[in-house]
Amino acid sequence: MNFFQAIFLGLVQALTEYLPVSSSAHIRIVGDLMIGSDPGAAFTAIIQIGTELAVLLYFRRDIIRILGAWFGSLFGKEGKDLKSRLGAHNPDTQMGWYIIIGTMPILIAGVLLKNVIETTLRNLWITVTVLALFGVLLWIFDAKKPQIKTMNRMTAKDAIIFGIGQMLALIPGVSRSGGTITFGRAMGYTREAAVRVAFLMAIPAVFGAGILESVSAVKDVSACAVANDPASEACLGAGMFPGWGPTIAATLVSFFVGYIVIIGFLKFVSTFSYKAFAIYRIGLAVVVAILLLTGVLPAIDPSAVAGA
């Protein structure tokens, strides 16, 4: 992967991360079409840090307020009893706890199913299936469910359900924002509230995955250099990683463009429905299925098979 290709994938990441269309599916598909290979879970996770930095910048006031309230209540600022420490008197403290609760499903699944996520679940037929399925679900829930719940009405149960939607995004094609937004609309949250929850809840999960994948990539590259054997397991793992130069370039592009996309997306959902995104998902699934059936795209990346 050269710098131009990495930058283009960073642009794809920025344009699709926040929309309910699955950035990981787009990176997987565009990577296969452009460089003839899956860029890999490590590259995908690391460039997602760029888009999450854009989220931190855009929501910095909300994040600072929530963190301040959470730590303040935890150390007794709102009261010394357990209920006060858990946010009984402060909605921002409660939101802090809800983000933690909502992060648990993806954290647990990510650790327990890491190998499956990086190999089996990156089969493009699985991507096609969930692209279409969640497109239909988003269309139905957004059209049928009323917009009656705001972030201030969230409960611990709702946080778990949001978290399950985010957890399913470990499957390329579901979409981190798409899974969270779909589950949010199914519970009757407003479009804007569902988006804001999706953005805030993704921060710890995406940064955690990016850091872990960065560490893993460094270990693989170092182990490959020591082994000096292209057929070794370490070199096969490192072979899916394009190197730090292209990866950093892609991450920077995903940050700058991503910030602009956040602004536009929030304005869009405050006026329009998610119908266009649902149709796009279904249409993309059909196109990818045709490319798979005609042999233009392989369902499983050859390098992933070699490293399995």
Side-chain angles (χ1 to χ4, degrees):
M1 185 188 303
N2 59 41
F3 267 79
F4 174 78
Q5 293 167 331
I7 288 172
F8 186 78
L9 287 175
L11 180 62
V12 171
Q13 164 67 23
L15 293 174
T16 58
E17 170 67 17
Y18 312 111
L19 311 183
V21 296
S22 179
S23 61
S24 58
H26 281 76
I27 294 295
R28 169 78 168 87
I29 295 164
V30 174
D32 259 323
L33 290 173
M34 186 169 64
I35 62 177
S37 174
D38 179 1
F43 175 80
T44 303
I46 293 170
I47 65 173
Q48 283 178 337
I49 292 178
T51 45
E52 286 311 302
L53 286 173
V55 171
L56 285 181
L57 179 61
Y58 187 86
F59 288 100
R60 60 190 181 280
R61 293 185 180 86
D62 296 304
I63 294 169
I64 292 172
R65 190 182 68 251
I66 291 170
L67 285 175
W70 187 83
F71 278 109
S73 296
L74 188 65
F75 290 104
K77 184 178 179 181
E78 302 289 337
K80 303 297 182 180
D81 58 294
L82 182 60
K83 287 185 178 181
S84 297
R85 292 179 188 274
L86 293 179
H89 310 300
N90 195 322
D92 287 327
T93 301
Q94 292 176 359
M95 181 55 62
W97 283 113
Y98 294 155
I99 290 173
I100 293 172
I101 293 171
T103 303
M104 289 297 103
I106 195 171
L107 175 64
I108 295 170
V111 172
L112 296 179
L113 303 175
K114 185 176 186 296
N115 290 334
V116 176
I117 293 165
E118 295 184 348
T119 54
T120 305
L121 293 182
R122 296 185 76 81
N123 185 309
L124 279 180
W125 279 116
I126 296 177
T127 301
V128 165
T129 302
V130 295
L131 269 173
L133 175 61
F134 273 80
V136 172
L137 291 176
L138 179 60
W139 194 339
I140 292 173
F141 290 138
D142 192 43
K144 301 295 184 181
K145 293 292 183 175
Q147 298 188 71
I148 56 176
K149 299 181 74 172
T150 61
M151 292 175 66
N152 290 333
R153 294 182 58 185
M154 190 184 298
T155 64
K157 177 183 176 181
D158 291 353
I160 293 173
I161 294 174
F162 271 121
I164 293 173
Q166 180 175 239
M167 177 193 71
L168 292 175
L170 292 171
I171 307 172
V174 171
S175 167
R176 191 182 312 277
S177 61
T180 312
I181 289 170
T182 299
F183 277 49
R185 289 295 296 117
M187 291 187 287
Y189 279 82
T190 67
R191 295 186 181 108
E192 186 172 354
V195 169
R196 287 181 174 273
V197 171
F199 284 175
L200 292 173
M201 200 168 282
I203 292 172
V206 173
F207 273 110
I211 292 171
L212 289 175
E213 292 292 357
S214 297
V215 172
S216 178
V218 170
K219 287 182 178 178
D220 281 343
V221 172
S222 300
C224 179
V226 173
N228 196 27
D229 178 10
S232 68
E233 183 177 349
C235 287
L236 288 172
M240 297 180 67
F241 185 69
W244 287 108
T247 303
I248 292 172
T251 303
L252 289 174
V253 170
S254 70
F255 166 73
F256 288 112
V257 178
Y259 187 82
I260 298 172
V261 174
I262 292 174
I263 297 172
F265 185 42
L266 286 172
K267 289 183 178 178
F268 182 92
V269 298
S270 64
T271 306
F272 303 101
S273 73
Y274 292 113
K275 181 179 179 180
F277 298 111
I279 293 174
Y280 175 82
R281 291 180 63 101
I282 297 169
L284 179 62
V286 172
V287 171
V288 176
I290 292 172
L291 294 176
L292 287 170
L293 290 172
T294 55
V296 176
L297 283 175
I300 302 175
D301 183 62
S303 62
V305 176

